[in-house]
Amino acid sequence: MNASKVLDDLKRRFPNEPEYHQAVEEVLSTIEDEYNKHPEFDKANLIERLCIPDRVFQFRVTWMDDKGNIQTNMGYRIQHNNVIGPYKGGLRFHSSVNLSILKFLAFEQTFKNSLTTLPMGGAKGGSDFSPRGKSNAEVMRFVQSFMLELWKHIGPDQDVPAGDIGVGGREIGFMFGMYKKLCKEFTGTFTGKGREYGGSLIRPEATGYGNIYFLMEMLKTKGTDLKGKVCTVSGSGNVAQYTIEKVLELGGKVVTCSDSDGYVYDPDGIDSEKLAYIMELKNVYRGRIREYAEKYGCKYVEGAKPWGEKCDIALPSATQNELNGDHAKTLVANGCIAVSEGANMPSTPEAIKVFQDAKILYAPGKAANAGGVSVSGLEMSQNSIRLSWSTEEVDAKLKSIMQNIHEACVKYGTEADGYVNYVKGANVAGFMKVANAMMAQGIV
Ligand code: NDP
Ligand code: 2IT
């Protein structure tokens, strides 16, 4: 493989898609050695095929707001690769959504889903619609209009969407209701559904819990755990909330969380009562994290990220490229020993280099946050057999999947000096399974 040629071709054919180029570049640079051990991959033009999504759906979504104005948004679904299972991945509703962001997410999802060991291909979709400040009725009208297009392209054995930024239980419920009406069948086409209609126990918790299970495995390699460790978390949505919950349960202390406006620093730590407040603030009242600082009398920093605050462990759980090289240098200088990503691609390439040069524990999102889609896979299994498993059963399966992903990273990512390059480990392990399946299935 000539990685720079593949990347140059991609940039020429798909210009102005920086996040997509960034995600591809990271994978190519880490799998190149392994790939070159298999000349048959190159003969089959495998990497060129794997870098381009199978197909991209793009459509207009028109809906009426509460004032009677007609609003227009864009809707998308990227079906990246389905060689190991039906297309699977979340939907993101956020004003920043564009093709570049969704293509990077769908690309990453393919390797992440492969790592879970469950039979799921990779996809992602969403809209530049922002639920922020919208009424429930507006969200429902938007979602129903969005589904009028999307339903044609999804199905239980075809493509199974779930949540991501801006898409939680409320949005999945509205989408599922409209989908069911349009396709005239009750199937498990969405995951992250409510418990009453086919959702799995532990799915809401899975990404955050899974990230901490992965972190615990990393810490174990250094003979330590979470007890007494100070953690900084970004975000205050689904992933951040359950990350905080699991850190507290395992004896750690969380001193920050954030939203798109700024972050709060609580030196006393976010305890379970304060976490319950955050959950109500964000999931019910849909307020701003600034209100936490007002209620508990702590520091709020507008327009900044929490990475300047001293910590042992950083857990980015908001969005892509939210932690840059300078943030990484500050974290390392402050004694941070581990970074585990709840979000997708939150660290820039410069930040990753800083962590790896400093030889601290660093887990990329596609390994560390794979717990969410793993429990989605378990939700699909439960829907197929028309049974539901207990909290203990699902949690035990989640823990074991995260341990297996950690093991795969160690197997493929351990360097000559013993340092585990989790980026390389995750990419090579995820890639090899997809590549072997592509080879077996011929040129399609
Ligand atoms: P939510 O919408 O529940 O929460 C997102 C959080 O991140 C909010 O606090 C939000 O702030 C903040 N945020 C969003 N965009 C930005 C931005 N551009 N700059 C700064 N802050 C921002 O989403 P999730 O918790 O589900 O997702 C968080 C991350 O985790 C994403 O990267 C997602 O792809 C990833 N992920 C999610 C999984 C899941 O199962 N949900 C699974 C695996 C990964 P505000 O309230 O102001 O919008
Ligand atoms: O990025 C992700 O893995 C998700 N948003 C979850 C996808 C899913 O299908 O559960």
Side-chain angles (χ1 to χ4, degrees), residues 77-79 81-82 85-91 109 113 119-125 147 150-151 153-163 172 175-176 179 187-193 198 203 372-373 375-381 383-384:
R77 185 71 178 167
I78 318 290
Q79 294 181 337
N81 185 292
N82 69 348
Y87 298 108
K88 180 83 193 89
L91 294 168
Q109 197 81 46
N113 292 2
M120 300 181 289
K124 202 82 186 190
M147 283 315 300
L150 187 67
W151 80 280
H153 311 301
I154 60 178
D157 297 313
Q158 188 179 0
D159 184 349
V160 182
I172 296 285
M175 281 193 271
F176 184 73
Y179 173 78
T187 62
T189 295
F190 284 83
T191 61
K193 300 184 291 297
R203 177 61 189 89
V373 76
V375 175
S376 278
L378 300 177
E379 183 169 326
M380 290 167 72
S381 307
N383 291 164
S384 293

